[in-house]
Amino acid sequence: MSLTHNLSLRHLTDVEERVAHYRSVAAPDAVNLSTAENVLLFDFYQAHLFDAARPFTAGDLRYPPKFYGSDAFRSSWAGFLNQAWGHGDLLTAQDVFAVGGTSAALECLAFILGTPGDVAISPAPLWYGFPWSFAQRPRVSFVPFDLLEKGIDKFELTLEDVKRACLSVQPQPKFLVLTNPRNPLGGNYSPETLNAIYKWVLEETRMHIISDEIYFFSQVGGGEPFVPAFALDAVREAGEDGRERVHAVWGLAKDFGMSGFKVGFVISRNQKVHALMSGDASLRTMAWFTPFDSLKYRTLAPLFLDGDGLPDPALAQQAMQLYAGPEASSLLGTQYAATREALASARLKFLDHNSSAIFFWLDLREFLDRVPPPDGSERQALHKALHPDIDPREERLSEYITASSGVSLIPGQECFSREPGFFRMCYTAEPKDRVVKGIERMGRSLHALLTPQRVSA
Protein backbone atom coordinates (compact mmCIF):
# COMPACT_ATOMS: atom_id res chain seq x y z
CA MET A 1 0.00 0.00 0.00
CA SER A 2 1.24 3.46 -0.78
CA LEU A 3 0.16 6.89 0.39
CA THR A 4 -1.08 7.48 -3.16
CA HIS A 5 -4.11 5.40 -2.17
CA ASN A 6 -4.39 7.36 1.07
CA LEU A 7 -4.58 10.64 -0.80
CA SER A 8 -7.01 9.32 -3.40
CA LEU A 9 -9.57 8.49 -0.70
CA ARG A 10 -9.84 12.15 0.24
CA HIS A 11 -11.30 12.98 -3.16
CA LEU A 12 -14.30 10.68 -2.64
CA THR A 13 -17.25 12.49 -1.04
CA ASP A 14 -19.42 9.45 -0.34
CA VAL A 15 -18.19 7.42 2.62
CA GLU A 16 -19.45 4.19 1.01
CA GLU A 17 -17.30 4.94 -2.04
CA ARG A 18 -14.31 5.45 0.25
CA VAL A 19 -15.02 2.20 2.08
CA ALA A 20 -15.34 0.30 -1.20
CA HIS A 21 -12.03 1.75 -2.44
CA TYR A 22 -10.31 1.01 0.86
CA ARG A 23 -11.57 -2.58 0.89
CA SER A 24 -10.35 -3.16 -2.65
CA VAL A 25 -6.87 -1.96 -1.64
CA ALA A 26 -6.37 -2.98 1.97
CA ALA A 27 -9.09 -5.45 2.95
CA PRO A 28 -10.47 -7.25 -0.12
CA ASP A 29 -11.80 -10.17 1.95
CA ALA A 30 -13.49 -8.05 4.62
CA VAL A 31 -17.12 -8.80 5.45
CA ASN A 32 -18.93 -5.76 4.12
CA LEU A 33 -21.50 -4.71 6.71
CA SER A 34 -21.04 -1.06 5.88
CA THR A 35 -22.68 -0.56 2.48
CA ALA A 36 -26.47 -0.22 2.43
CA GLU A 37 -27.05 -3.04 -0.01
CA ASN A 38 -29.32 -6.06 -0.17
CA VAL A 39 -28.25 -9.33 -1.79
CA LEU A 40 -31.19 -11.46 -0.66
CA LEU A 41 -33.22 -11.44 -3.89
CA PHE A 42 -30.43 -12.20 -6.35
CA ASP A 43 -31.49 -15.83 -6.91
CA PHE A 44 -35.06 -14.68 -7.56
CA TYR A 45 -33.82 -12.28 -10.22
CA GLN A 46 -31.64 -14.96 -11.76
CA ALA A 47 -34.78 -17.03 -12.26
CA HIS A 48 -37.18 -14.29 -13.35
CA LEU A 49 -35.35 -11.26 -14.79
CA PHE A 50 -31.98 -12.29 -16.21
CA ASP A 51 -33.43 -14.53 -18.87
CA ALA A 52 -31.04 -15.57 -21.66
CA ALA A 53 -34.04 -16.62 -23.73
CA ARG A 54 -35.12 -12.99 -23.93
CA PRO A 55 -32.43 -11.50 -26.19
CA PHE A 56 -31.85 -7.80 -26.63
CA THR A 57 -33.33 -6.10 -29.66
CA ALA A 58 -32.41 -2.84 -31.33
CA GLY A 59 -35.48 -1.29 -29.73
CA ASP A 60 -34.06 -1.96 -26.28
CA LEU A 61 -31.30 0.54 -27.02
CA ARG A 62 -33.45 3.32 -28.46
CA TYR A 63 -34.78 6.34 -26.60
CA PRO A 64 -37.60 5.31 -24.25
CA PRO A 65 -41.12 6.65 -24.89
CA LYS A 66 -40.91 8.80 -21.75
CA PHE A 67 -37.87 9.55 -19.62
CA TYR A 68 -39.84 9.21 -16.38
CA GLY A 69 -41.69 5.98 -17.21
CA SER A 70 -44.41 5.06 -19.68
CA ASP A 71 -48.07 5.40 -18.79
CA ALA A 72 -48.27 1.64 -18.26
CA PHE A 73 -45.28 1.60 -15.91
CA ARG A 74 -46.54 4.60 -13.93
CA SER A 75 -49.99 3.05 -13.58
CA SER A 76 -48.41 -0.19 -12.37
CA TRP A 77 -46.16 1.60 -9.86
CA ALA A 78 -49.08 3.61 -8.45
CA GLY A 79 -51.22 0.49 -8.12
CA PHE A 80 -48.34 -1.44 -6.56
CA LEU A 81 -47.76 1.25 -3.93
CA ASN A 82 -51.47 1.69 -3.19
CA GLN A 83 -51.81 -2.05 -2.64
CA ALA A 84 -48.66 -2.26 -0.52
CA TRP A 85 -49.75 0.70 1.59
CA GLY A 86 -53.25 -0.69 2.05
CA HIS A 87 -54.99 2.35 0.57
CA GLY A 88 -56.40 2.19 -2.94
CA ASP A 89 -56.89 5.93 -3.35
CA LEU A 90 -53.58 7.50 -2.31
CA LEU A 91 -51.87 7.76 -5.70
CA THR A 92 -52.68 7.98 -9.37
CA ALA A 93 -50.28 7.28 -12.22
CA GLN A 94 -49.81 11.05 -12.63
CA ASP A 95 -48.28 11.28 -9.13
CA VAL A 96 -45.33 8.92 -9.78
CA PHE A 97 -42.21 9.77 -11.79
CA ALA A 98 -39.23 7.46 -12.24
CA VAL A 99 -35.67 8.82 -12.28
CA GLY A 100 -32.14 7.47 -11.99
CA GLY A 101 -32.09 6.72 -8.26
CA THR A 102 -33.58 8.02 -5.05
CA SER A 103 -30.81 10.57 -4.55
CA ALA A 104 -31.80 11.94 -7.97
CA ALA A 105 -35.43 12.05 -6.83
CA LEU A 106 -34.41 14.14 -3.82
CA GLU A 107 -32.38 16.42 -6.05
CA CYS A 108 -35.32 16.88 -8.43
CA LEU A 109 -37.57 17.95 -5.55
CA ALA A 110 -34.90 20.34 -4.26
CA PHE A 111 -34.53 21.92 -7.72
CA ILE A 112 -38.28 22.19 -8.32
CA LEU A 113 -39.42 23.45 -4.92
CA GLY A 114 -36.36 25.23 -3.56
CA THR A 115 -34.16 28.13 -4.50
CA PRO A 116 -30.45 28.64 -3.72
CA GLY A 117 -30.13 29.70 -0.10
CA ASP A 118 -33.20 27.82 1.14
CA VAL A 119 -32.66 25.49 4.10
CA ALA A 120 -33.54 21.82 4.59
CA ILE A 121 -33.47 20.30 8.07
CA SER A 122 -33.45 16.65 9.11
CA PRO A 123 -33.13 14.76 12.40
CA ALA A 124 -29.76 13.14 13.08
CA PRO A 125 -28.44 10.48 12.89
CA LEU A 126 -29.27 10.43 9.19
CA TRP A 127 -28.15 9.20 5.79
CA TYR A 128 -24.98 11.05 4.87
CA GLY A 129 -26.14 11.43 1.25
CA PHE A 130 -28.84 13.94 2.12
CA PRO A 131 -26.51 16.97 2.27
CA TRP A 132 -25.16 16.54 -1.23
CA SER A 133 -28.56 15.57 -2.66
CA PHE A 134 -29.85 18.98 -1.60
CA ALA A 135 -26.73 21.14 -1.59
CA GLN A 136 -24.37 19.98 -4.32
CA ARG A 137 -26.34 21.31 -7.29
CA PRO A 138 -29.61 22.81 -6.01
CA ARG A 139 -27.57 24.92 -3.52
CA VAL A 140 -30.03 24.35 -0.71
CA SER A 141 -28.35 24.44 2.71
CA PHE A 142 -28.77 21.20 4.65
CA VAL A 143 -28.81 21.35 8.46
CA PRO A 144 -29.01 18.21 10.65
CA PHE A 145 -30.50 18.63 14.11
CA ASP A 146 -30.03 16.56 17.26
CA LEU A 147 -32.78 14.73 19.13
CA LEU A 148 -32.59 16.32 22.55
CA GLU A 149 -36.06 16.19 24.07
CA LYS A 150 -35.83 12.57 25.27
CA GLY A 151 -32.04 12.40 25.55
CA ILE A 152 -29.21 12.51 23.02
CA ASP A 153 -28.61 8.74 23.22
CA LYS A 154 -32.29 7.71 23.07
CA PHE A 155 -32.67 8.58 19.35
CA GLU A 156 -36.39 9.38 19.66
CA LEU A 157 -37.81 12.19 17.53
CA THR A 158 -40.45 14.49 19.03
CA LEU A 159 -42.45 17.45 17.80
CA GLU A 160 -40.50 19.56 20.30
CA ASP A 161 -37.25 18.59 18.55
CA VAL A 162 -38.68 19.75 15.22
CA LYS A 163 -39.94 23.02 16.69
CA ARG A 164 -36.57 23.67 18.33
CA ALA A 165 -34.77 23.07 15.04
CA CYS A 166 -37.12 25.38 13.13
CA LEU A 167 -36.60 28.18 15.62
CA SER A 168 -32.82 27.82 15.68
CA VAL A 169 -32.26 27.96 11.90
CA GLN A 170 -32.20 31.13 9.82
CA PRO A 171 -33.64 31.67 7.33
CA GLN A 172 -36.68 29.65 8.29
CA PRO A 173 -36.40 26.14 6.81
CA LYS A 174 -38.08 25.37 3.51
CA PHE A 175 -37.92 21.56 3.88
CA LEU A 176 -38.23 19.00 6.65
CA VAL A 177 -36.72 15.72 5.49
CA LEU A 178 -37.67 12.51 7.30
CA THR A 179 -36.62 8.92 6.63
CA ASN A 180 -39.25 6.35 7.51
CA PRO A 181 -38.21 3.57 8.12
CA ARG A 182 -35.09 5.13 9.57
CA ASN A 183 -31.56 5.02 8.19
CA PRO A 184 -29.26 4.41 10.07
CA LEU A 185 -31.30 3.56 13.17
CA GLY A 186 -33.79 1.02 11.86
CA GLY A 187 -37.39 1.15 13.06
CA ASN A 188 -40.45 3.14 12.00
CA TYR A 189 -41.59 6.43 13.46
CA SER A 190 -44.79 5.98 15.42
CA PRO A 191 -47.98 7.18 13.70
CA GLU A 192 -48.66 9.42 16.73
CA THR A 193 -45.28 11.16 16.37
CA LEU A 194 -45.65 11.60 12.62
CA ASN A 195 -49.21 12.93 12.84
CA ALA A 196 -48.19 15.48 15.46
CA ILE A 197 -45.24 16.67 13.38
CA TYR A 198 -47.09 16.76 10.05
CA LYS A 199 -50.09 18.54 11.57
CA TRP A 200 -47.89 21.26 13.07
CA VAL A 201 -45.77 21.70 9.93
CA LEU A 202 -48.76 21.88 7.59
CA GLU A 203 -50.83 24.18 9.81
CA GLU A 204 -48.21 26.41 11.42
CA THR A 205 -45.42 26.72 8.85
CA ARG A 206 -44.88 26.96 5.11
CA MET A 207 -42.42 24.07 5.02
CA HIS A 208 -42.57 21.15 2.63
CA ILE A 209 -42.11 17.67 4.08
CA ILE A 210 -40.14 15.10 2.07
CA SER A 211 -40.51 11.54 3.32
CA ASP A 212 -37.79 9.12 2.19
CA GLU A 213 -39.56 5.75 2.31
CA ILE A 214 -37.05 3.64 0.41
CA TYR A 215 -36.97 0.92 3.10
CA PHE A 216 -40.71 0.62 3.69
CA PHE A 217 -41.00 -3.05 2.64
CA SER A 218 -38.16 -4.08 4.96
CA GLN A 219 -40.30 -4.92 7.99
CA VAL A 220 -39.68 -7.79 10.41
CA GLY A 221 -42.56 -7.08 12.82
CA GLY A 222 -42.73 -6.34 16.49
CA GLY A 223 -42.29 -2.57 16.37
CA GLU A 224 -44.22 0.53 15.41
CA PRO A 225 -46.32 0.01 12.26
CA PHE A 226 -45.18 1.70 9.07
CA VAL A 227 -47.57 4.39 7.85
CA PRO A 228 -46.72 6.12 4.55
CA ALA A 229 -46.76 9.90 4.57
CA PHE A 230 -49.78 10.14 2.27
CA ALA A 231 -51.84 7.85 4.55
CA LEU A 232 -51.31 9.87 7.73
CA ASP A 233 -54.46 11.39 9.22
CA ALA A 234 -52.74 14.78 9.38
CA VAL A 235 -52.14 14.67 5.62
CA ARG A 236 -55.49 13.20 4.59
CA GLU A 237 -57.27 15.84 6.67
CA ALA A 238 -55.15 18.74 5.43
CA GLY A 239 -56.50 21.06 2.78
CA GLU A 240 -55.21 21.02 -0.76
CA ASP A 241 -52.44 23.46 0.13
CA GLY A 242 -51.25 21.14 2.88
CA ARG A 243 -51.37 18.03 0.72
CA GLU A 244 -49.32 19.78 -1.96
CA ARG A 245 -46.50 20.27 0.56
CA VAL A 246 -46.05 16.56 1.25
CA HIS A 247 -43.80 14.51 -1.03
CA ALA A 248 -42.21 11.07 -0.90
CA VAL A 249 -39.31 9.34 -2.56
CA TRP A 250 -38.97 5.61 -3.03
CA GLY A 251 -36.80 3.32 -5.12
CA LEU A 252 -35.69 -0.20 -5.96
CA ALA A 253 -32.22 0.01 -4.43
CA LYS A 254 -32.92 -1.36 -0.95
CA ASP A 255 -36.02 -3.54 -0.56
CA PHE A 256 -35.63 -4.82 -4.12
CA GLY A 257 -31.84 -5.14 -3.80
CA MET A 258 -30.97 -3.15 -6.94
CA SER A 259 -28.65 -0.52 -5.49
CA GLY A 260 -26.40 -0.36 -8.54
CA PHE A 261 -29.31 -0.26 -10.98
CA LYS A 262 -30.36 3.28 -9.94
CA VAL A 263 -34.14 3.48 -10.07
CA GLY A 264 -35.90 5.99 -7.85
CA PHE A 265 -39.30 7.69 -7.77
CA VAL A 266 -40.56 11.20 -7.14
CA ILE A 267 -44.02 10.81 -5.60
CA SER A 268 -46.03 13.99 -5.24
CA ARG A 269 -49.48 15.49 -5.77
CA ASN A 270 -48.01 18.96 -6.15
CA GLN A 271 -48.96 20.60 -9.45
CA LYS A 272 -45.59 22.34 -9.87
CA VAL A 273 -43.82 19.02 -9.36
CA HIS A 274 -46.12 17.42 -11.93
CA ALA A 275 -45.45 20.18 -14.45
CA LEU A 276 -41.67 20.20 -14.13
CA MET A 277 -41.31 16.44 -13.99
CA SER A 278 -43.55 16.02 -17.06
CA GLY A 279 -42.07 18.91 -19.04
CA ASP A 280 -43.74 20.64 -21.94
CA ALA A 281 -42.92 22.19 -25.32
CA SER A 282 -40.74 24.85 -23.71
CA LEU A 283 -39.25 22.94 -20.77
CA ARG A 284 -37.45 19.62 -20.65
CA THR A 285 -38.62 17.16 -18.02
CA MET A 286 -36.33 17.08 -15.01
CA ALA A 287 -35.97 13.35 -15.70
CA TRP A 288 -34.06 14.22 -18.90
CA PHE A 289 -30.97 14.69 -16.74
CA THR A 290 -31.47 11.48 -14.75
CA PRO A 291 -33.69 9.24 -16.88
CA PHE A 292 -35.54 6.01 -16.48
CA ASP A 293 -33.63 4.74 -19.50
CA SER A 294 -34.32 2.07 -22.10
CA LEU A 295 -32.39 -0.68 -20.30
CA LYS A 296 -34.47 -0.07 -17.19
CA TYR A 297 -37.61 -0.37 -19.31
CA ARG A 298 -36.40 -3.72 -20.59
CA THR A 299 -35.12 -5.19 -17.34
CA LEU A 300 -38.02 -4.15 -15.12
CA ALA A 301 -40.85 -5.00 -17.51
CA PRO A 302 -41.40 -8.52 -16.09
CA LEU A 303 -41.73 -7.07 -12.57
CA PHE A 304 -44.36 -4.46 -13.39
CA LEU A 305 -45.94 -5.28 -16.78
CA ASP A 306 -47.64 -8.32 -18.28
CA GLY A 307 -46.68 -10.00 -21.54
CA ASP A 308 -48.70 -7.46 -23.52
CA GLY A 309 -47.04 -4.48 -21.84
CA LEU A 310 -50.05 -3.65 -19.65
CA PRO A 311 -49.82 -2.70 -15.95
CA ASP A 312 -49.32 -5.81 -13.83
CA PRO A 313 -47.04 -5.75 -10.76
CA ALA A 314 -47.69 -9.42 -9.89
CA LEU A 315 -44.02 -10.43 -10.09
CA ALA A 316 -42.96 -7.42 -8.00
CA GLN A 317 -45.54 -8.42 -5.40
CA GLN A 318 -44.21 -11.98 -5.48
CA ALA A 319 -40.68 -10.70 -4.93
CA MET A 320 -41.73 -8.67 -1.90
CA GLN A 321 -43.72 -11.58 -0.47
CA LEU A 322 -40.63 -13.77 -0.70
CA TYR A 323 -38.42 -11.02 0.68
CA ALA A 324 -40.46 -9.72 3.62
CA GLY A 325 -43.76 -11.56 3.78
CA PRO A 326 -45.36 -12.40 7.13
CA GLU A 327 -43.96 -15.94 7.18
CA ALA A 328 -41.08 -16.55 9.56
CA SER A 329 -39.20 -18.08 6.63
CA SER A 330 -39.12 -14.84 4.62
CA LEU A 331 -35.66 -13.95 3.37
CA LEU A 332 -35.45 -10.78 5.47
CA GLY A 333 -36.94 -12.37 8.59
CA THR A 334 -34.49 -15.25 8.47
CA GLN A 335 -31.53 -12.93 7.92
CA TYR A 336 -32.68 -10.60 10.70
CA ALA A 337 -33.19 -13.41 13.23
CA ALA A 338 -29.76 -14.90 12.54
CA THR A 339 -28.10 -11.49 12.81
CA ARG A 340 -29.85 -10.58 16.04
CA GLU A 341 -28.93 -13.92 17.58
CA ALA A 342 -25.30 -13.51 16.50
CA LEU A 343 -25.13 -10.03 18.06
CA ALA A 344 -26.61 -11.32 21.31
CA SER A 345 -24.15 -14.23 21.40
CA ALA A 346 -21.29 -11.83 20.71
CA ARG A 347 -22.50 -9.57 23.57
CA LEU A 348 -22.68 -6.53 21.31
CA LYS A 349 -25.25 -3.87 22.22
CA PHE A 350 -27.64 -2.35 19.73
CA LEU A 351 -30.67 -0.09 19.62
CA ASP A 352 -33.52 -2.44 20.38
CA HIS A 353 -36.28 -1.09 18.16
CA ASN A 354 -34.87 -1.93 14.73
CA SER A 355 -38.02 -3.66 13.50
CA SER A 356 -37.57 -2.30 9.99
CA ALA A 357 -35.02 -1.12 7.42
CA ILE A 358 -31.86 -3.22 6.99
CA PHE A 359 -29.67 -1.91 9.81
CA PHE A 360 -28.60 -2.51 13.36
CA TRP A 361 -27.39 0.62 15.20
CA LEU A 362 -24.57 -0.75 17.33
CA ASP A 363 -23.61 0.83 20.64
CA LEU A 364 -19.86 0.17 20.98
CA ARG A 365 -19.11 3.01 23.38
CA GLU A 366 -17.68 0.65 26.00
CA PHE A 367 -14.78 -0.11 23.63
CA LEU A 368 -14.15 3.46 22.55
CA ASP A 369 -11.21 4.22 24.82
CA ARG A 370 -9.74 0.71 24.80
CA VAL A 371 -8.05 0.70 21.42
CA PRO A 372 -4.24 0.88 21.63
CA PRO A 373 -2.65 4.10 20.39
CA PRO A 374 -1.86 4.20 16.66
CA ASP A 375 1.49 2.71 15.70
CA GLY A 376 1.99 4.99 12.73
CA SER A 377 1.67 2.19 10.18
CA GLU A 378 0.78 2.96 6.60
CA ARG A 379 -2.34 0.83 6.97
CA GLN A 380 -3.59 3.03 9.80
CA ALA A 381 -2.79 6.15 7.81
CA LEU A 382 -4.78 4.78 4.89
CA HIS A 383 -7.73 3.90 7.12
CA LYS A 384 -7.71 7.36 8.71
CA ALA A 385 -8.32 8.84 5.26
CA LEU A 386 -11.60 6.91 5.25
CA HIS A 387 -13.04 9.02 8.05
CA PRO A 388 -10.98 12.21 8.37
CA ASP A 389 -13.67 14.30 10.06
CA ILE A 390 -14.86 12.11 12.94
CA ASP A 391 -13.72 11.74 16.55
CA PRO A 392 -10.24 10.13 16.49
CA ARG A 393 -11.34 7.54 19.05
CA GLU A 394 -14.22 6.42 16.86
CA GLU A 395 -11.92 6.29 13.83
CA ARG A 396 -9.38 4.16 15.73
CA LEU A 397 -12.14 1.80 16.86
CA SER A 398 -13.37 1.51 13.28
CA GLU A 399 -9.85 0.69 12.08
CA TYR A 400 -9.39 -1.84 14.88
CA ILE A 401 -12.62 -3.64 13.95
CA THR A 402 -11.58 -3.94 10.31
CA ALA A 403 -8.00 -4.97 11.09
CA SER A 404 -8.80 -7.45 13.87
CA SER A 405 -12.01 -9.06 12.63
CA GLY A 406 -12.17 -8.31 8.91
CA VAL A 407 -15.51 -6.50 9.21
CA SER A 408 -16.31 -3.04 7.85
CA LEU A 409 -18.95 -0.82 9.48
CA ILE A 410 -19.99 2.81 9.09
CA PRO A 411 -18.96 4.97 12.07
CA GLY A 412 -21.95 6.73 13.58
CA GLN A 413 -20.44 10.18 13.26
CA GLU A 414 -20.43 9.74 9.47
CA CYS A 415 -24.21 9.68 9.98
CA PHE A 416 -24.05 12.93 12.01
CA SER A 417 -24.37 11.19 15.37
CA ARG A 418 -23.17 13.72 17.92
CA GLU A 419 -21.81 11.19 20.43
CA PRO A 420 -18.96 8.89 19.27
CA GLY A 421 -19.06 5.14 19.66
CA PHE A 422 -22.12 4.17 17.61
CA PHE A 423 -21.85 2.27 14.33
CA ARG A 424 -24.26 1.40 11.52
CA MET A 425 -24.28 -2.24 10.48
CA CYS A 426 -26.15 -3.36 7.34
CA TYR A 427 -27.14 -7.00 7.75
CA THR A 428 -28.34 -7.64 4.17
CA ALA A 429 -25.14 -6.63 2.34
CA GLU A 430 -23.67 -10.15 2.56
CA PRO A 431 -25.05 -13.71 2.63
CA LYS A 432 -26.24 -14.87 6.05
CA ASP A 433 -23.28 -17.12 6.87
CA ARG A 434 -20.77 -14.36 6.20
CA VAL A 435 -22.75 -11.88 8.30
CA VAL A 436 -22.89 -14.29 11.26
CA LYS A 437 -19.22 -15.27 11.05
CA GLY A 438 -18.18 -11.63 10.76
CA ILE A 439 -20.17 -10.74 13.87
CA GLU A 440 -18.65 -13.65 15.78
CA ARG A 441 -15.12 -12.48 14.92
CA MET A 442 -16.00 -8.88 15.71
CA GLY A 443 -17.38 -9.85 19.12
CA ARG A 444 -14.23 -11.77 20.03
CA SER A 445 -11.86 -9.01 18.94
CA LEU A 446 -13.84 -6.27 20.68
CA HIS A 447 -14.14 -8.11 23.99
CA ALA A 448 -10.42 -8.82 23.84
CA LEU A 449 -10.00 -5.08 24.34
CA LEU A 450 -11.52 -5.40 27.79
CA THR A 451 -8.97 -7.91 29.07
CA PRO A 452 -6.17 -6.64 31.34
CA GLN A 453 -3.57 -7.74 28.83
CA ARG A 454 -5.07 -5.64 26.07
CA VAL A 455 -5.62 -2.60 28.28
CA SER A 456 -2.00 -2.58 29.42
CA ALA A 457 -0.59 -3.02 25.91
Side-chain angles (χ1 to χ4, degrees), residues 322-454:
L322 174 66
Y323 170 63
E327 296 82 5
S329 60
S330 71
L331 295 175
L332 184 69
T334 301
Q335 189 96 348
Y336 172 85
T339 303
R340 190 180 178 102
E341 181 179 349
L343 287 169
S345 297
R347 293 175 294 141
L348 298 177
K349 299 174 185 177
F350 55 88
L351 197 64
D352 197 30
H353 61 226
N354 63 326
S355 58
S356 56
I358 54 178
F359 308 110
F360 281 82
W361 184 244
L362 304 184
D363 180 357
L364 305 183
R365 288 176 293 176
E366 64 182 304
F367 308 107
L368 197 60
D369 296 312
R370 300 284 186 155
V371 181
D375 58 17
S377 68
E378 194 170 27
R379 174 182 53 77
Q380 286 183 332
L382 175 60
H383 192 279
K384 184 171 179 57
L386 272 178
H387 311 293
D389 300 319
I390 68 175
D391 188 297
R393 296 173 299 160
E394 186 171 276
E395 194 285 322
R396 286 198 298 271
L397 181 55
S398 175
E399 193 275 336
Y400 173 82
I401 291 170
T402 302
S404 63
S405 64
V407 172
S408 63
L409 305 172
I410 294 293
Q413 290 196 321
E414 290 283 9
C415 303
F416 298 89
S417 178
R418 175 187 288 188
E419 186 173 357
F422 295 94
F423 287 77
R424 189 192 78 175
M425 186 186 80
C426 178
Y427 67 93
T428 61
E430 296 267 16
K432 180 176 63 177
D433 289 347
R434 278 179 60 81
V435 173
V436 169
K437 290 177 181 177
I439 292 171
E440 290 171 350
R441 293 199 303 269
M442 182 167 59
R444 288 193 296 269
S445 65
L446 283 170
H447 283 285
L449 292 171
L450 303 182
T451 65
Q453 293 84 353
R454 174 63 70 177

